[in-house]
Amino acid sequence: MTDMDVRLGPAAAVRLVASREIGVRLRSKAYRLSTIAMLVLIVGGVFVAKLIGSSGGTTVGVVGPTAPLAAPLQASAQAIGEKLETSQVADEAAGRAKVADGSLDALLVGDATKLRVVVKKDLDGKLKNALTVLAGQVALKQEIDAQGGDAAKVQAAVATASVDVLPMEKPFDYSGEQLVLGYIAGLLIYISLMINGQIVAQGVVEEKTSRVVELLLATIRPWQLMAGKVLGIGVVGLIQMVLIGGLGVVAALAAGVLTLSVSAALGIVVWLIAWFLLGFFMYAIVFAGLGALVSRQEDVGGAVAPALTFVIAGYIVGATVLPSNPGSGFVEVLSMIPMFSPTLMPMRLAMGGVPVWEAALSVVLVLATIPALIWFAGRMYSGAVMRTGAKVKLRDALKAP
């Protein structure tokens, strides 16, 4: 019986290797612990954000004579972009007690003609800005009344005054929430590519050093072994990504940290999963080929470093440029280049404002790049996977029949 007689069909061979990888990885203690750790970090981060958000406002107490200032004070704070709440207290003594125990940040005392504020130690700078605006309004009202004018009409005119903005280009509407989601999406994909991509390369080296690859290649072809390994680890990574992304969004919606609609949040998760798959298969194929060039686990990092450089560069650009300049033209162009798309495009999509044609073009370009990488990495893998000892040079691996 010849080797060809015992060889499996292509689909069966790939499926066999993939199922073996899935079984081994899912039973791995390291995989389970890393998944649990990431889930704890995501859910913990959601509740930390909830606590920070709930404690981020300022509460000012008002007594009977200063009660009329409550609404104008809130309006003044809102006008300068600050979050402020007011609370009615029974009398000044009760209000001072609440300031002392931290229940109130400040207390307005006296009457509605002059602002006097009681604080525990120092007046918060943001609150001072809001009170300064209110003091100006109070002084203006008193001056209008003194001159015999109608302060109510003047204040109404001031309140309705606005600025006409004439943009030369249509602006993108980014919220802080979307920026954070974009950052988290890029971070999750970056971590997943770093971890799962290197697992592929380490698995190739492990099979080379244990000589298991020689037994496997007696019945299947090199490219089938490579494809099955990439597919199996990709499925395991997908399971992890779905768990982390899905639970993270559910926790954020349940805690009220996310104010997006459920459909919008679901769309972000779908894009996150889609770009993980595209990025993983594109990079994992290359990692498998690069891993075949070495025979020791210590050399894996150096072998895959050239490919990792693109992953790291894309994430760093997105994390540093997008928060300060979400509409960056440089990032827009870079996010459509296949090597950078897996980290940059999901960040932009989470923030919104990406034209449909850009999102579609980036997907098409990655899909068009994957077959070329399969051919390139397949040649590399086939020419190096049976060679042990010193690192195989790239040109020697590509020249092998």
Side-chain angles (χ1 to χ4, degrees), residues 308-319:
L308 283 178
T309 300
F310 291 99
V311 179
I312 296 171
Y315 172 71
I316 290 177
V317 169

Side-chain angles (χ1 to χ4, degrees), residues 198 201-202 205 290 294 296-308:
Q198 292 193 76
Q202 291 168 352
V205 175
L290 293 173
V294 297
R296 301 188 307 166
Q297 292 289 352
E298 310 92 88
D299 299 328
V300 171
V304 301
L308 283 178

Side-chain angles (χ1 to χ4, degrees), residues 150-235:
D150 190 338
K153 288 184 178 181
V154 173
Q155 288 180 337
V158 171
T160 57
S162 62
V163 177
D164 291 332
V165 180
L166 304 175
M168 296 180 66
E169 296 181 5
K170 184 179 179 181
F172 291 118
D173 183 19
Y174 296 106
S175 67
E177 203 172 85
Q178 288 173 304
L179 287 172
V180 172
L181 282 175
Y183 181 84
I184 293 174
L187 180 62
L188 286 177
I189 290 182
Y190 167 72
I191 293 174
S192 296
L193 290 179
M194 292 283 287
I195 294 175
N196 293 295
Q198 292 193 76
I199 287 175
V200 172
Q202 291 168 352
V204 171
V205 175
E206 181 182 344
E207 290 171 351
K208 283 185 65 173
T209 55
S210 65
R211 317 299 289 187
V212 171
V213 68
E214 296 178 5
L215 298 175
L216 293 172
L217 293 181
T219 55
I220 62 177
R221 300 186 185 279
W223 73 266
Q224 295 167 350
L225 177 59
M226 183 185 75
K229 181 175 290 293
V230 170
L231 179 60
I233 296 176
V235 169

Side-chain angles (χ1 to χ4, degrees), residues 276-367:
F276 164 75
L277 289 174
L278 290 170
F280 174 78
F281 285 116
M282 183 174 69
Y283 275 107
I285 292 165
V286 177
F287 287 154
L290 293 173
L293 298 177
V294 297
S295 300
R296 301 188 307 166
Q297 292 289 352
E298 310 92 88
D299 299 328
V300 171
V304 301
L308 283 178
T309 300
F310 291 99
V311 179
I312 296 171
Y315 172 71
I316 290 177
V317 169
T320 56
V321 177
L322 285 178
S324 59
N325 185 15
S328 169
F330 171 70
V331 175
E332 181 180 341
V333 172
L334 207 62
S335 68
M336 289 185 284
I337 299 175
M339 291 296 106
F340 302 103
S341 295
T343 48
L344 286 177
M345 186 54 75
M347 296 176 78
R348 293 185 61 215
L349 288 167
M351 288 187 288
V354 180
V356 175
W357 72 267
E358 286 188 14
L361 178 61
S362 62
V363 171
V364 170
L365 291 176
V366 169
L367 290 175

Side-chain angles (χ1 to χ4, degrees), residues 75-115:
S76 299
Q78 185 177 5
I80 61 175
E82 301 298 338
K83 181 181 178 182
L84 185 145
E85 295 180 357
T86 58
S87 175
Q88 178 81 40
V89 294
D91 51 43
E92 185 175 333
R96 285 178 176 270
K98 287 181 176 291
V99 172
D101 65 20
S103 301
L104 292 175
D105 296 294
L107 174 70
L108 289 183
V109 296
D111 54 38
T113 61
K114 182 174 177 58
L115 293 186

